[in-house]
Structure formats: structure tokens, C-alpha cells
Amino acid sequence: MRSVPGLHGIRIEERIDDGTYAVSAELPGVDPDKDVEISVDGDVLTIRAERSEKSESKTHSEFRYGSLARSVRLPAGARAEEATADYKDGILTVKVPVPESKTGAHTIKVNRADS
């Protein structure tokens, strides 16, 4: 991801389990109904979020805000139209079905090219 002024990256974890590609993103302090946008363009999944948080006491106040974004390439054959997203305890998890990959090794024969 290129560095864009005012845009911060989102920390993520990716995994493939049982025919599902899952990406979990740390997004504490956001309202997933209002502040999160998830899109797919071709084979790229993009998560965008806006955070604005304020904490105050009698002598101190602090703002935490900004735009966050992260894009990842989906595995070959991912079915983005069947993707789901859940948000719990500050973690957004997006799951996308992918075709089962074939297991087992494949051997490639080397042909000798004599001069």
C-alpha cells in the first residue's frame, strides 16, 4: 500500500481454512454500521474505515481519528459475491469462499536439450 497523507494502514491476519479465505482486521473504536466500507474490485478486497474517538476528563482531552485502509489480493477462484463480514470486540472478519485446492505433489519431467 502506498503511503498517503492522512491514511493509515490496518493490521490484518490472513488464513485459508476449509475452503474459506478469511482476513481479520484490527478496527477498535469504529462503528461497523457507519464507519466501515468493504469492497471487491476484480481480485482485490479493500477495507476502509473512519475512526473518530474522544476521551475527556476534567483536565485532559484526547482525540483519536483518521482514515484507515488496507487492500489484499484474493486467492484464485475466490467467490467475492458470497463474502460475509462480522465485527466483534474490535475485530472485523471477512470470509470469502474459495475452491478447494488439490492436494498432493506434482512432478515435472525435465527434458534434456542436447546441443
Side-chain angles (χ1 to χ4, degrees):
M1 186 169 87
R2 288 191 174 135
S3 179
V4 177
L7 188 66
H8 305 282
I10 299 170
R11 293 178 3 164
I12 64 167
E13 289 182 350
E14 299 173 88
R15 63 194 172 283
I16 296 180
D17 293 316
D18 300 322
T20 301
Y21 168 78
V23 59
S24 296
E26 286 185 344
L27 291 172
V30 301
D31 180 343
D33 296 325
K34 297 187 304 186
D35 301 331
V36 176
E37 176 186 310
I38 305 165
S39 62
V40 176
D41 185 8
D43 63 348
V44 176
L45 171 76
T46 300
I47 300 169
R48 293 184 184 279
E50 290 285 330
R51 180 185 359 240
S52 64
E53 211 177 326
K54 182 178 179 182
S55 61
E56 289 186 61
S57 68
K58 288 185 178 186
T59 60
H60 177 76
S61 69
E62 185 173 330
F63 292 99
R64 291 181 288 280
Y65 57 91
S67 297
L68 306 159
R70 184 71 182 260
S71 294
V72 294
R73 188 165 307 278
L74 294 172
R79 297 188 299 268
E81 64 280 357
E82 298 175 30
T84 61
D86 297 300
Y87 183 84
K88 181 179 180 185
D89 298 331
I91 304 293
L92 173 73
T93 302
V94 180
K95 293 182 179 180
V96 183
V98 294
E100 293 287 334
S101 61
K102 297 178 183 175
T103 57
H106 177 73
T107 303
I108 301 171
K109 183 179 179 202
V110 177
N111 296 314
R112 179 177 286 227
D114 294 329
S115 45

